[in-house]
Amino acid sequence: MGRIKTDTNNSRKEVIVAKAAALFKEKGYKAASMRELADVVGVEAASLYNHIKSKSELLHEICFSVANRYGQFMESVEQEQISSLAKIEKILRFHIHGMIEHFNEVYVSDREWKYLEDPYLSNFQNQRRTYRKRFAAIIEEGIQKKEIKPIDATTAVLIMLHAISGIESWHRSKQRISGNLLEENMITILVGGLKNE
Amino acid sequence: MGRIKTDTNNSRKEVIVAKAAALFKEKGYKAASMRELADVVGVEAASLYNHIKSKSELLHEICFSVANRYGQFMESVEQEQISSLAKIEKILRFHIHGMIEHFNEVYVSDREWKYLEDPYLSNFQNQRRTYRKRFAAIIEEGIQKKEIKPIDATTAVLIMLHAISGIESWHRSKQRISGNLLEENMITILVGGLKNE
């Protein structure tokens, strides 16, 4: 037990949030306790409360930091002057990186958001819905410009996001290919499947 | 409370297994009780035990009926004299149909198999692993014949199976396209992404 370890890039609160994401992924939000979190952070439970108010604040931090990051990224992609297919490729690569490099946070925000409390719960659900609609709109635009095959855009979003969430099982597999190779293969298959030729 | 309702195509046991799949999907295997199952079947709990021994027998029935169906289908596809890409399309359509028409059973066998007890648990895991390897082998064969782009076959299996398990959210969505359209869109994107052009 002692002080919370930090490095120059992360505040104590960020360290706690990162450890909470790992714990929630491992045990599920419901089953995880603040006592267990204190154990993995290496401090007394009481010290945690100097930095965060409650377990639900931690879930809130994790879910909204992911949702905000995605929202900002979508915004920047929408403004780029590139083809629809290039926009989609950027979005997919962003999601793939998220699943590889921020796996705990992305996993928790994807699976455990249902334990958020209102008004945060409905706010989060709205953000998710809006994000998917904006993604579908880019696909629609590509279909109109005949860059993309005539498909149902909502289905395409569903297929792509679920395919990427399959990276979960890549994390668990013993003989796995490199993250770069995984990314290139996913882009080849998913973007290749949309392209109008 | 009364006799278990059957029709000419289903034995009483089959009725019970189907209701159990719906219940396990809804509540999770762990949380579901035999008393609740008796309620939805519409009989006394004691009557259930005339047909099945335990809750774990039900999980076993569900998981292995799905796994055996998939194994038999793979066997039949492997023996067909058609291109690798056509084999893959057949397998994908089979999975998509499974997710649309036998959703409860497929969902439970996909998510709740971890509650099987050994030796069934390791048997089931082996069947899953073997199935995916056989699927990957068909992709490999297609790559060698230059029908399919040079990709990592294991990754392609992961992408396709996870994309299809996303049909779960299609079931939940309010404004959904028809099952046929969903299937055609999935085939367009996924098979299109593999094709070497």
Side-chain angles (χ1 to χ4, degrees):
Chain A
M1 298 294 159
R3 292 170 63 84
I4 297 170
K5 286 197 193 70
T6 57
D7 58 44
T8 44
N9 296 314
N10 295 296
S11 71
R12 282 190 191 134
K13 185 164 175 179
E14 284 168 337
V15 171
I16 297 171
V17 172
K19 297 273 190 192
L23 181 68
F24 295 169
K25 193 205 86 199
E26 203 55 46
K27 302 208 60 171
Y29 172 74
K30 272 287 177 201
S33 74
M34 289 295 270
R35 173 169 297 277
E36 287 168 307
L37 179 59
D39 278 352
V40 289
V41 176
V43 295
E44 301 286 346
S47 313
L48 283 183
Y49 292 102
N50 294 329
H51 302 279
I52 44 118
K53 285 196 289 293
S54 60
K55 193 172 87 163
S56 76
E57 187 191 339
L58 286 165
L59 182 63
H60 179 264
E61 284 279 342
I62 295 165
C63 291
F64 283 90
S65 77
V66 172
N68 293 339
R69 200 144 39 86
Y70 280 63
Q72 278 160 21
F73 187 80
M74 181 59 82
E75 183 106 22
S76 76
V77 168
E78 285 167 343
Q79 287 163 4
E80 288 202 52
Q81 302 299 319
I82 52 178
S83 72
S84 309
L85 217 48
K87 286 182 186 172
I88 292 164
E89 182 171 330
K90 280 206 164 191
I91 296 168
L92 295 180
R93 287 188 190 273
F94 182 75
H95 279 263
I96 295 168
H97 290 166
M99 278 296 285
I100 292 179
E101 288 153 30
H102 309 283
F103 181 48
N104 295 334
E105 288 80 358
V106 171
Y107 182 95
V108 170
S109 98
D110 218 41
R111 302 292 183 96
E112 307 288 288
W113 59 265
K114 54 182 172 287
Y115 298 112
L116 287 167
E117 283 159 31
D118 262 325
Y120 305 117
L121 178 61
S122 18
N123 183 329
F124 186 83
Q125 286 177 300
N126 269 332
Q127 286 201 35
R128 257 171 88 96
R129 214 175 294 125
T130 307
Y131 184 86
R132 289 177 180 206
K133 278 191 187 157
R134 288 163 82 182
F135 194 174
I138 295 178
I139 296 175
E140 286 288 4
E141 185 192 84
I143 295 170
Q144 241 127 63
K145 293 193 281 176
K146 303 208 188 304
E147 285 175 38
I148 293 176
K149 292 172 189 164
I151 45 159
D152 179 64
T154 310
T155 305
V157 170
L158 175 150
I159 291 175
M160 292 191 289
L161 296 187
H162 278 90
I164 290 169
S165 77
I167 294 179
E168 186 199 329
S169 71
W170 172 84
H171 277 288
R172 278 187 276 105
S173 77
K174 280 166 212 141
Q175 299 163 301
R176 67 193 201 192
I177 59 171
S178 75
N180 277 343
L181 195 51
L182 178 74
E183 178 178 344
E184 294 314 321
N185 275 291
M186 287 202 134
I187 295 296
T188 301
I189 297 175
L190 295 174
V191 176
L194 295 176
K195 202 183 258 173
N196 204 357
E197 284 169 308
Chain B
M1 299 294 157
R3 290 170 62 84
I4 298 171
K5 285 198 193 70
T6 56
D7 58 42
T8 43
N9 295 315
N10 295 298
S11 70
R12 284 191 188 132
K13 185 164 175 180
E14 284 167 337
V15 171
I16 296 171
V17 172
K19 298 272 190 192
L23 180 69
F24 294 169
K25 192 203 86 198
E26 203 55 47
K27 304 209 56 170
Y29 172 74
K30 271 286 174 199
S33 74
M34 289 296 270
R35 173 170 296 275
E36 288 168 307
L37 179 59
D39 278 352
V40 291
V41 175
V43 294
E44 302 285 347
S47 311
L48 283 184
Y49 292 101
N50 293 330
H51 303 278
I52 44 116
K53 284 193 291 290
S54 60
K55 193 170 88 163
S56 76
E57 187 191 340
L58 287 164
L59 182 64
H60 179 264
E61 284 279 342
I62 295 165
C63 292
F64 283 89
S65 78
V66 173
N68 293 339
R69 200 144 38 87
Y70 280 63
Q72 277 160 22
F73 187 79
M74 182 58 82
E75 182 105 22
S76 76
V77 168
E78 285 166 343
Q79 287 163 4
E80 288 201 53
Q81 302 298 320
I82 53 178
S83 72
S84 308
L85 217 49
K87 286 182 186 172
I88 292 165
E89 182 170 331
K90 280 208 163 188
I91 295 168
L92 294 179
R93 287 187 189 274
F94 182 75
H95 279 263
I96 296 168
H97 289 166
M99 276 297 285
I100 293 179
E101 288 152 30
H102 308 284
F103 182 47
N104 295 335
E105 287 81 357
V106 171
Y107 182 95
V108 170
S109 98
D110 219 39
R111 303 291 185 96
E112 307 288 287
W113 59 265
K114 54 181 172 286
Y115 298 113
L116 287 167
E117 282 158 32
D118 264 324
Y120 304 117
L121 178 61
S122 19
N123 184 329
F124 185 83
Q125 286 177 301
N126 270 334
Q127 285 201 34
R128 257 170 87 96
R129 214 173 297 126
T130 307
Y131 184 85
R132 290 178 179 205
K133 279 192 186 155
R134 288 162 81 180
F135 193 174
I138 294 178
I139 296 176
E140 287 287 4
E141 186 192 83
I143 295 170
Q144 240 127 66
K145 291 194 281 173
K146 305 208 188 300
E147 286 176 38
I148 294 176
K149 291 173 190 163
I151 46 159
D152 179 65
T154 309
T155 305
V157 169
L158 174 150
I159 291 175
M160 293 191 288
L161 296 186
H162 280 89
I164 290 168
S165 77
I167 295 178
E168 186 199 329
S169 71
W170 171 86
H171 276 288
R172 279 187 275 108
S173 78
K174 282 166 208 139
Q175 300 163 302
R176 65 193 204 194
I177 59 172
S178 75
N180 276 344
L181 196 51
L182 177 75
E183 177 177 346
E184 294 315 320
N185 275 291
M186 287 201 134
I187 295 296
T188 301
I189 298 175
L190 295 175
V191 176
L194 295 176
K195 204 183 253 168
N196 205 356
E197 284 169 309

